[in-house]
Amino acid sequence: MDTERWDAHMRKYGIVGAALALVLAVSGCGGGDDEGGTGGAVTGEITVLTQRTDIVDTVFQDYKKKFEAKYPGTTVKFEAITDYEGEVRIRMNTKEYGDVLLIPNSVTTDLLPTFFEPLGTVSELEKKYRFVRTEQRLDDNVYGLAITGNAQGFVYNKKVWRQAGVTAPPKTPEEFLGALAAIGDRTDAIPLYTNYKDKWPLGQWEGNRGGISGDPDAAIKLAREDAPWAPGREHHVMDSLLFDAVQRGLTEPDPTTTNWEQSKGMLGTGKVATMMLGSWSIVQMQAAAPDKADIGYLPFPTQTDGTFHTVVSGDYKNGINVNSKNKATARAWIDWFTDESNYAIDQGGVSPVISQAMPGTLADLTAAGTEFIELNPAPKGEEGLAEKIGNAAEIALYDGTYRQRIVDAARGAKQETRDQIFADLNKRWAETRSKVG
């Protein structure tokens, strides 16, 4: 790769996107010979990469039996990977990264055709599937189908909230803080657990983009504005709520000692009342609870025109390695997994199949009259622009690092105010947007 092209990737996509581009240039991987797309006979062996190390030897073996029974002559092998993002990114230095895999989050939109086989056009697939209009697509081509979908909000222990006398979803940030205060006063539970130490859970707050305003164009508008942390803006609302909860002593006493795996049991048994996590977390908390009915899900405490909103978006997307020698069977697996495995519903998620109803795990959102929205696709040339601006400004929106700074300031570990942090974030964002945007 020449210096000019490398610099362009650095400016546009940040270090991760540029690193992948460099990998491509050095190794010569990607863009393998097309052996007739995904047509042909469904037979032979495929390797499927998965992040589900916990169920690969149980649930996934049942999937294997059912698929191979439907397609005699096929064999499905699984490779479960603990550090999925890190290891798969390295494997993509070569052509050997499975036949079917979950598209890593580090693959920028422009590189999708380099590494993955198109599955069809948006106009074809959006008639049947959710999440294809905005996610893992380039121009009119779709490169991945979601394994499940998530809503956004707070997972909470209903029993603890009832003990505190709170039985209705808070409608404003101040009502939410009042509910947390009641929990702190009337129960022994930690009102809100940040999971600060593991960092990535703080990135879950970003999922409320669009849900706070009820605006499907929220991501597009974010990339076009210079001050996302100005009063009234979504980031000001969500990050102020986090700051205020910590400053008022409504979170764990020492955030540097939090533990993600232990926190599931703590919320399930009522030692923790509330956590900000995508709806994927509900079934994990239910598994840790003596009574799964104790676990519920709250919308973010804002309303637009008297209605709660939550954004539903796809989780990881199954895609086909562009270098696969068995694309027909790989495609058959993706179609079967999406349409017939029932994975999404079994995991408490939103099915990518439009005809499927919302899962029972989201009954609390439905009961609260929450409107489920999907974010609109960005115009051509603006795909993923907000994330590119954030990465280049060192404000990675889904990473959690900048929200650790907010927590540290709120608990007094850093000598800066909320307004000072927001002013600095706005300044860095505006300066970077003028270059990247």
Side-chain angles (χ1 to χ4, degrees):
M1 176 180 291
D2 58 56
T3 303
E4 183 178 351
R5 187 179 172 197
W6 167 257
D7 288 343
H9 272 280
M10 284 293 288
R11 287 193 299 272
K12 288 183 70 178
Y13 310 120
I15 187 65
V16 174
L20 262 174
L22 181 61
V23 160
L24 170 65
V26 172
S27 66
C29 74
D33 295 335
D34 187 349
E35 300 183 356
T38 56
V42 179
T43 187
E45 182 177 284
I46 57 169
T47 297
V48 177
L49 308 189
T50 178
Q51 91 288 24
R52 295 304 304 267
T53 57
D54 54 335
I55 58 175
V56 69
D57 294 327
T58 52
V59 175
F60 273 59
Q61 296 306 310
D62 185 52
Y63 295 159
K64 169 185 169 71
K65 291 178 183 177
K66 291 179 178 177
F67 179 80
E68 291 175 356
K70 180 173 182 177
Y71 296 102
T74 61
T75 302
V76 180
K77 292 175 57 179
F78 299 111
E79 291 186 23
I81 302 170
T82 300
D83 178 16
Y84 187 86
E85 287 283 332
E87 185 171 330
V88 174
R89 191 161 59 243
I90 293 172
R91 287 182 62 169
M92 288 172 69
N93 290 355
T94 72
K95 296 182 179 182
E96 303 300 325
Y97 45 96
D99 296 288
V100 176
L101 68 154
L102 307 171
I103 300 177
N105 292 320
S106 53
V107 177
T108 53
T109 301
D110 64 311
L111 291 176
L112 287 170
T114 300
F115 294 100
F116 297 96
E117 187 76 14
L119 302 180
T121 65
V122 173
S123 56
E124 292 169 346
L125 296 175
E126 70 177 350
K127 298 173 185 176
K128 185 175 182 180
Y129 300 113
R130 296 183 173 99
F131 318 128
V132 298
R133 295 174 60 243
T134 60
E135 304 174 26
Q136 302 300 6
R137 52 90 42 117
L138 179 63
D139 298 327
D140 194 37
N141 287 320
V142 176
Y143 292 87
L145 292 180
I147 58 174
T148 185
N150 299 307
Q152 306 299 324
F154 291 93
V155 61
Y156 77 117
N157 190 299
K158 291 183 176 182
K159 185 176 180 180
V160 173
W161 277 60
R162 285 196 300 268
Q163 288 173 350
V166 185
T167 57
K171 297 178 181 179
T172 67
E174 200 56 42
E175 283 186 16
F176 185 83
L177 291 167
L180 296 184
I183 292 167
D185 291 340
R186 301 172 187 172
T187 78
D188 294 327
I190 296 170
L192 177 68
Y193 198 80
T194 69
N195 262 305
Y196 169 103
K197 185 177 180 181
D198 284 278
K199 189 170 66 174
W200 66 262
L202 286 170
Q204 297 279 293
W205 287 76
E206 191 65 29
N208 294 290
R209 182 200 308 172
I212 292 173
S213 62
D215 186 355
D217 289 329
I220 299 171
K221 293 178 179 178
L222 173 61
R224 295 177 178 177
E225 63 179 321
D226 282 335
W229 287 269
R233 300 289 195 268
E234 286 191 311
H235 281 77
H236 188 281
V237 173
M238 71 176 85
D239 289 338
S240 290
L241 181 56
L242 174 62
F243 183 95
D244 291 343
V246 176
Q247 188 182 56
R248 298 185 192 186
L250 302 174
T251 56
E252 65 276 353
D254 182 3
T256 65
T257 62
T258 61
N259 183 291
W260 160 245
E261 289 298 334
Q262 290 181 6
S263 75
K264 290 185 276 189
M266 293 169 69
L267 189 135
T269 57
K271 295 178 181 177
V272 165
T274 324
M275 287 193 279
M276 166 58 71
L277 292 168
S279 63
W280 56 265
S281 64
I282 298 172
V283 292
Q284 296 191 32
M285 302 304 169
Q286 288 177 336
D291 183 353
K292 70 178 184 178
D294 288 342
I295 307 303
Y297 205 65
L298 291 167
F300 194 91
T302 57
Q303 291 190 327
T304 302
D305 297 328
T307 301
F308 291 113
H309 293 81
T310 185
V311 171
V312 287
S313 56
D315 204 299
Y316 270 124
K317 316 297 186 303
N318 270 324
I320 299 174
N321 180 350
V322 74
N323 306 291
S324 171
K325 302 302 182 184
N326 196 352
K327 293 176 184 176
T329 303
R331 178 56 189 269
W333 170 264
I334 290 179
D335 290 343
W336 180 87
F337 188 90
T338 308
D339 298 341
E340 300 182 43
S341 73
N342 212 45
Y343 173 87
I345 300 301
D346 290 344
Q347 297 301 313
V350 177
S351 173
V353 180
I354 293 172
S355 60
Q356 292 286 332
M358 286 293 171
T361 49
L362 299 182
D364 289 336
L365 294 184
T366 303
T370 307
E371 183 177 340
F372 296 83
I373 63 174
E374 286 188 53
L375 296 181
N376 288 329
K380 186 173 176 59
E382 296 184 36
E383 299 93 343
L385 183 55
E387 280 63 45
K388 294 170 189 175
I389 294 170
N391 290 343
E394 296 184 352
I395 314 171
L397 297 172
Y398 287 98
D399 176 69
T401 299
Y402 93 81
R403 289 190 173 94
Q404 284 185 325
R405 177 186 177 187
I406 291 172
V407 172
D408 286 339
R411 67 190 181 95
K414 286 185 179 293
Q415 300 305 309
E416 53 185 348
T417 67
R418 178 188 65 181
D419 290 345
Q420 287 172 334
I421 293 175
F422 288 178
D424 176 61
L425 293 172
N426 281 331
K427 180 175 182 292
R428 287 158 55 190
W429 184 273
E431 291 175 348
T432 305
R433 196 182 80 82
S434 67
K435 300 173 185 177
V436 176

